[in-house]
Amino acid sequence: MNLPVIIDIIIGLVFIYLSLSLLASEIQELIATVWQWRAEHLKKSIEVLISGGSEGAKDPLQFKRVGQLAHSIYANPIIKDLNQGAKGLLSEGFRSVTHRMGDLYHGLTGTKNVFGNKSSGPSYIPAECFSASLLETLKVSSLLSSISKTRLEKFKTLQLAQIQQIGVNLSLPAATKPIIEQEFRWLTAEFNRVVEDYQNNLASLNNSLDRMSEKLGFYIKDSQVYLPETELGGREFQRQMAFVKARFDSRNERVALLGQLQPSFSNLLNTVKKSQDTVAEIMDIKEESPIYQQIQETLDSMPESLKRSLYILAQRAEKGGGDTQEQLQRFQKEIEIWFDQSMERASGVYKRNARGVAILLGTAIAVAANADSIHIINRLSKDSMLRSTVNLYAEQLVEKNARTKLDNLTSLRKVQKDVDIALDEVALPFGWSEQNSLERDKQGNLLWPALIAKLFGWILSGVAISMGAGFWFEALNKIINIRNAGKKPPSSTES
């Protein structure tokens, strides 16, 4: 047997594998759609991410929190909108049928629907969508904002108390005191207005402190007009108020002040990791306040493993400094990176699982179609007409689809259509015809050596089919191009 014949046999064998792989791809895609393998695997992978490992949360309470939080994330409009419903009567009908088949599968196997009371979920979630949904579900932004607003309110009260005490301690004439008290009432009203604007999200924290400093400057300037130029009057007032205003105006003092007023998510998580009883003390809030209840609800919804992971990510985000909003943006980016890394591992797991299913499905197709690789090779090697015909259709297939890559369902069906035309014209050496049936002796008994060889041929075909249509289409392209390149006559050069 010469080399061209061997190459023709290989081309014929690859063409047959491609034909069966296209069928396997269609069946596997249908099964994955009906049973929502990709969507279910994604949901389970997110639960693994939240629970902190492949084993998940072993404690029943933590396990319950993982499931509840995952359902809450999926219920968020950001994720919910990714699960686009089918449009049109036919599409909606098919989707309804697949959902019913999925419900039947869960009922027969005793497995639970990972989507809870929903029928399906998205098969793909971008990292930025997951990050935004997680932070919104945990109410991180509103939580930090509420803490900051509470702290600014308390800071305002302390500053006003200190300023009022400075005025009380001064030795002022009876006629001057009402004027200073009136100026203080004006300052109190202005401070209250600044805090109210911040609480209504009309100004940033830094801007609010600038406005307080400006109002305090007006108060000091107006008050000094009525204070006597004595050591215990205007001079002492000016000296003490300079210390108060420096906290607003000094660059270093402003950095320290912002650090006190802006909440740290990592600090909150670290505090809770030690003891939840210290939340009110560290966060500088009262236990009976609504913000304290909000903090407790958020923390109670989080599994311990997620608190640890978010604490590490929050620490990374806070290293760059900046205000709360900047840190929150970096925190969201850290969550996106964390999610992408986890989904890369989950994708590897899904591919391994899909490969196992592909081998089982490929073997089942090989048995059902009686696609015995050993028998196919024997037929191709002995039947030159069959070999030439299969090679002709294989070459036509490559020419028609020279620029096609089987990386989506559309290209897959295009190649499938061309292959179906070839299958209608040529009888490939597989199927349960009399010529391809199991060998028997004269008494009609199966020959065990032949049966073992047939089983080996089926398994070989099953493994080959599981390689996928894309693999065999690419292989067919390369082999035919190499053969055609070898057939070209060498170019002659003129002397």
Side-chain angles (χ1 to χ4, degrees), residues 178-197:
I179 299 175
I180 300 301
E181 289 174 358
Q182 182 179 352
E183 292 292 334
F184 178 76
R185 285 194 295 271
W186 173 86
L187 179 64
T188 301
E190 291 298 311
F191 270 28
N192 287 336
R193 188 164 63 87
V194 170
V195 173
E196 184 179 351
D197 288 347

Side-chain angles (χ1 to χ4, degrees), residues 162-432:
Q162 183 180 1
I163 294 169
Q164 186 179 34
Q165 190 61 42
I166 292 174
V168 171
N169 293 337
L170 295 175
S171 298
L172 300 177
T176 307
K177 281 186 177 182
I179 299 175
I180 300 301
E181 289 174 358
Q182 182 179 352
E183 292 292 334
F184 178 76
R185 285 194 295 271
W186 173 86
L187 179 64
T188 301
E190 291 298 311
F191 270 28
N192 287 336
R193 188 164 63 87
V194 170
V195 173
E196 184 179 351
D197 288 347
Y198 179 69
Q199 291 177 340
N200 292 329
N201 300 316
L202 299 178
S204 66
L205 182 59
N206 213 23
N207 176 260
S208 298
L209 293 176
D210 286 339
R211 291 174 64 193
M212 282 186 173
S213 175
E214 183 181 37
K215 304 302 180 185
L216 183 58
F218 290 148
Y219 168 76
I220 295 171
K221 184 178 179 180
D222 291 346
S223 297
Q224 282 182 321
V225 175
Y226 304 99
L227 294 176
E229 288 292 332
T230 62
E231 188 66 29
L232 297 178
R235 295 178 187 176
E236 181 62 20
F237 175 82
Q238 185 177 6
R239 187 182 69 82
Q240 293 190 34
M241 292 305 298
F243 288 117
V244 176
K245 199 169 186 304
R247 194 171 190 192
F248 291 91
D249 298 342
S250 170
R251 182 178 178 182
N252 293 333
E253 288 292 335
R254 174 63 68 89
V255 171
L257 180 57
L258 287 172
Q260 292 174 8
L261 297 178
Q262 291 174 337
S264 168
F265 194 60
S266 65
N267 187 24
L268 174 61
L269 292 172
N270 191 39
T271 301
V272 176
K273 190 167 61 174
K274 295 175 181 177
S275 171
Q276 286 201 359
D277 296 334
T278 60
V279 172
E281 180 183 348
I282 298 298
M283 291 294 104
D284 199 16
I285 55 179
K286 297 180 180 179
E287 291 190 13
E288 62 272 13
S289 65
I291 181 61
Y292 178 80
Q293 301 300 325
Q294 184 183 352
I295 292 173
Q296 290 298 341
E297 288 176 6
T298 298
L299 297 175
D300 289 342
S301 68
M302 297 168 60
E304 293 300 325
S305 54
L306 181 62
K307 291 176 186 176
R308 290 192 295 268
S309 299
L310 293 183
Y311 170 67
I312 295 172
L313 297 178
Q315 278 194 315
R316 292 177 185 172
E318 290 161 11
K319 285 182 180 178
D323 58 22
T324 302
Q325 192 60 36
E326 292 173 345
Q327 291 181 9
L328 194 58
Q329 290 175 355
R330 288 198 298 270
F331 184 36
Q332 186 167 341
K333 289 294 182 183
E334 291 291 343
I335 294 177
E336 291 174 15
I337 296 171
W338 175 57
F339 177 77
D340 279 335
Q341 291 173 344
S342 177
M343 290 305 103
E344 285 180 8
R345 296 190 296 270
S347 177
V349 173
Y350 180 81
K351 288 178 180 177
R352 289 194 296 271
N353 293 340
R355 183 62 190 278
V357 173
I359 291 175
L360 294 176
L361 181 60
T363 305
I365 290 175
V367 175
N370 191 19
D372 173 6
S373 289
I374 297 175
H375 175 73
I376 292 171
I377 292 172
N378 288 335
R379 284 285 308 277
L380 289 172
S381 61
K382 294 176 182 178
D383 193 336
S384 59
M385 180 64 68
L386 174 64
R387 189 170 62 243
S388 300
T389 305
V390 174
N391 271 254
L392 176 62
Y393 281 110
E395 191 163 354
Q396 289 177 354
L397 178 68
V398 170
E399 289 177 357
K400 286 183 181 180
N401 303 276
R403 298 182 180 180
T404 302
K405 289 187 177 181
L406 300 189
D407 54 358
N408 58 65
L409 196 58
T410 302
S411 58
L412 192 74
R413 287 175 177 170
K414 183 176 182 297
V415 173
Q416 176 74 64
K417 184 178 179 180
D418 293 334
V419 170
D420 288 342
I421 294 173
L423 294 178
D424 290 338
E425 299 295 331
V426 60
L428 295 177
F430 59 81
W432 288 99

Side-chain angles (χ1 to χ4, degrees), residues 20 24 67 82 85 119 136 163 165 169 180 230 297 401 434 456 465 467 482 486:
L20 296 172
L82 296 175
S119 299
E136 190 171 312
I163 294 169
Q165 190 61 42
N169 293 337
I180 300 301
T230 62
E297 288 176 6
N401 303 276
E434 184 177 351
F456 180 74
I465 293 170
M467 299 296 289
I482 291 172

Side-chain angles (χ1 to χ4, degrees), residues 70-135:
H71 285 320
S72 298
I73 292 172
Y74 267 64
N76 189 285
I78 298 174
I79 302 297
K80 195 175 180 180
D81 291 345
L82 296 175
N83 189 28
Q84 297 292 336
K87 302 298 181 183
L89 184 61
L90 183 62
S91 298
E92 289 178 357
F94 175 75
R95 191 177 181 89
S96 178
V97 170
T98 58
H99 289 166
R100 299 292 79 77
M101 292 176 68
D103 294 339
L104 178 62
Y105 166 75
H106 289 302
L108 293 174
T109 58
T111 56
K112 69 173 184 177
N113 180 9
V114 298
F115 303 112
N117 58 355
K118 301 294 182 181
S119 299
S120 63
S123 300
Y124 171 73
I125 297 177
E128 57 271 17
C129 291
F130 172 81
S131 178
S133 177
L134 176 63
L135 293 178

